[in-house]
Amino acid sequence: MTKLKRLALVLLAVSSLFFMACGSTPKDDSSSSGSAGSSSQSRSGSSGSGAGSGSGSGSGADSSSSFADGDENGSGSGRGGSGSGSSYGDGYDDDDDEEFDENTAKDYKALFRMIDKSRAKAIESGAQDDDATSDFFNALDEEYERQKALAESGGITPEMTNILRQINAAYAGLEQYEDAKAKKERIDDKGYASHSQRAYDEGARLLEELEEIMADSDSFFEELRTGTSDVGTQFLNKATKANTDFTNVFKATATNMRTEAFKAKKQADSVKASVSRKDDYDDGVSEFREGDSNYVTGSVEQSIENYINARDIFSTLYEEVSAARAEAQKKISAAKKKVNHAWGVADEADKTDPLTEKIDGIEDHDAKLLEDDDFTEAENSYVEIDEELDDDGGNS
């Protein structure tokens, strides 16, 4: 009896194990398959294309890659469909590097467009044809094409993005360099350096540094390719600073020329040039005001020419009117001498042969022959202008 109970218990246990095994097998298979499909799709993107495929340099075979799982050509498939990746790395996973999400594939072409614009501006400034910059420009072109090819074949990386940004900065720096160099030449031609010698010397020093960098371009590009350097930004900063320095020389020149023009006007006013030479005087005022307008709108170099013209007009007026007044004063003095002599003769005649009756044509000595002149015309001809410009370039 005891043996029969033991046998029944064994049979019951075996039966329970059999049914448990049969009931769990289908559920486990489904869970495993669904998990695999979910994993594959999560690595490929959220567009419903499954794992997709991407043309690249074999990054799909690496389980840690930001591209979809697949063979070494970057292709693969998953549950839910199939897709095709582009040469700009459509399979990039933003979550792989949170600090790099601004440089994902969707911004890739925008970065190229930005560089192309900077390059076009550098060409327009003359960097491609300038003997001082042409070799560096061509080397920059070669590096840009090299990085583009790498990006299109293997996808973008944070290091590559930094390299491209530094290339963009270098192109922009070339534009700034050419602009600064041209300003220096104009300053030299006009002799404006002394108006702000410190700014001029600093700008000239920076131009020399930039030329040394371009002459040793191998070192520049070796550092650029590390992917962590900011050599392009440094190049741009130096060129921008040099350009600003030379701009400040022009601004200082404009300020000084304006002061000279204002002083010349005051001299012209002192001899009443606004009355005797009104048209010329108005021309000087017009040049002065046009200089202010050009300065405010950013045409600083043109404003210098306006102020110089105004200064010359007012200075000429002062000299010519002063000379005319001096000549007139001589004539007046000579006339006074004659009048005084005539009065002396008359006095003597009055003593020797005085008139006893009124004669037609001879007025009394206290007769009023002319009306009074209040000189309002002279006062109305005077033009007031501001002596200084404020910090923003407007009239104070």
Side-chain angles (χ1 to χ4, degrees):
M1 186 66 178
T2 301
K3 292 181 178 180
L4 289 174
K5 289 181 178 181
R6 290 178 178 177
L7 180 60
L9 290 172
V10 170
L11 292 174
L12 181 60
V14 171
S15 176
S16 298
L17 290 172
F18 176 79
F19 284 108
M20 288 176 64
C22 291
S24 65
T25 298
K27 180 178 180 180
D28 289 344
D29 288 344
S30 174
S31 175
S32 175
S33 175
S35 176
S38 174
S39 175
S40 176
Q41 288 189 42
S42 68
R43 296 188 60 79
S44 66
S46 59
S47 62
S49 60
S53 64
S55 61
S57 60
S59 60
D62 187 353
S63 62
S64 65
S65 168
S66 61
F67 292 91
D69 296 331
D71 60 20
E72 60 183 357
N73 290 323
S75 63
S77 62
R79 299 181 69 223
S82 62
S84 174
S86 75
S87 61
Y88 292 98
D90 290 340
Y92 188 84
D93 186 354
D94 291 356
D95 295 333
D96 285 353
D97 187 346
E98 292 182 358
E99 296 181 357
F100 188 55
D101 57 3
E102 67 168 329
N103 300 317
T104 56
K106 63 184 179 182
D107 296 323
Y108 202 71
K109 292 181 179 179
L111 182 56
F112 284 161
R113 287 194 296 270
M114 179 174 66
I115 296 173
D116 290 339
K117 288 181 180 179
S118 297
R119 180 180 181 274
K121 289 181 179 180
I123 293 174
E124 185 177 354
S125 71
Q128 192 175 32
D129 300 322
D130 187 352
D131 291 339
T133 57
S134 58
D135 289 344
F136 184 80
F137 180 90
N138 292 333
L140 199 59
D141 273 357
E142 292 177 4
E143 187 62 32
Y144 177 36
E145 291 302 321
R146 176 175 176 273
Q147 294 298 330
K148 283 177 67 176
L150 290 173
E152 291 171 353
S153 63
I156 195 170
T157 64
E159 292 77 15
M160 187 178 298
T161 299
N162 183 61
I163 292 174
L164 290 170
R165 291 187 183 279
Q166 296 307 310
I167 290 174
N168 179 69
Y171 279 126
L174 284 174
E175 179 193 7
Q176 290 291 319
Y177 168 85
E178 291 294 341
D179 196 10
K181 182 180 177 181
K183 285 179 180 176
K184 180 180 181 299
E185 291 175 354
R186 294 197 297 274
I187 290 171
D188 292 341
D189 290 342
K190 300 287 187 178
Y192 293 162
S194 61
H195 291 281
S196 184
Q197 194 66 50
R198 180 179 297 181
Y200 176 85
D201 292 343
E202 178 64 12
R205 183 186 66 79
L206 288 170
L207 286 186
E208 291 179 357
E209 288 187 9
L210 292 167
E211 288 162 2
E212 290 175 0
I213 291 173
M214 290 186 286
D216 187 20
S217 60
D218 290 343
S219 298
F220 178 90
F221 289 107
E222 181 178 353
E223 189 172 352
L224 175 74
R225 294 186 191 106
T226 63
T228 58
S229 173
D230 63 346
V231 288
T233 301
Q234 292 178 23
F235 185 88
L236 172 59
N237 289 342
K238 287 179 183 291
T240 302
K241 178 63 168 56
N243 198 8
T244 300
D245 286 333
F246 293 126
T247 296
N248 288 338
V249 173
F250 281 119
K251 287 184 176 180
T253 304
T255 299
N256 293 340
M257 290 298 101
R258 188 183 192 277
T259 299
E260 290 186 10
F262 185 84
K263 290 179 178 178
K265 178 184 178 297
K266 297 293 286 185
Q267 288 183 317
D269 291 336
S270 70
V271 295
K272 300 294 188 292
S274 61
V275 178
S276 59
R277 300 277 294 276
K278 181 173 175 54
D279 290 342
D280 292 333
Y281 180 87
D282 289 344
D283 287 343
V285 171
S286 178
E287 284 284 354
F288 192 97
R289 287 177 169 169
E290 189 173 350
D292 284 353
S293 177
N294 282 324
Y295 189 97
V296 170
T297 57
S299 301
V300 179
E301 295 183 47
Q302 183 57 50
S303 74
I304 295 173
E305 298 297 325
N306 294 132
Y307 293 138
I308 290 175
N309 290 341
R311 179 200 64 185
D312 293 345
I313 290 172
F314 290 132
S315 295
T316 300
L317 281 175
Y318 173 73
E319 293 172 0
E320 293 180 353
V321 173
S322 295
R325 285 166 64 92
E327 184 65 25
Q329 189 63 44
K330 288 181 181 179
K331 293 180 179 180
I332 291 173
S333 297
K336 283 183 177 179
K337 289 181 180 180
K338 291 181 179 180
V339 169
N340 290 335
H341 177 71
W343 275 113
V345 172
D347 288 341
E348 185 65 25
D350 283 341
K351 293 177 182 179
T352 60
D353 190 15
L355 294 175
T356 58
E357 59 185 25
K358 186 174 179 61
I359 300 175
D360 291 339
I362 299 179
E363 302 291 343
D364 295 335
H365 71 279
D366 59 348
K368 185 175 182 180
L369 304 179
L370 299 174
E371 294 183 1
D372 293 334
D373 191 344
D374 59 4
F375 298 100
T376 55
E377 181 181 353
E379 293 297 329
N380 292 337
S381 67
Y382 172 78
V383 177
E384 184 71 39
I385 59 176
D386 294 320
E387 183 173 359
E388 296 180 357
L389 294 176
D390 61 25
D391 293 338
D392 295 329
N395 291 329
S396 57

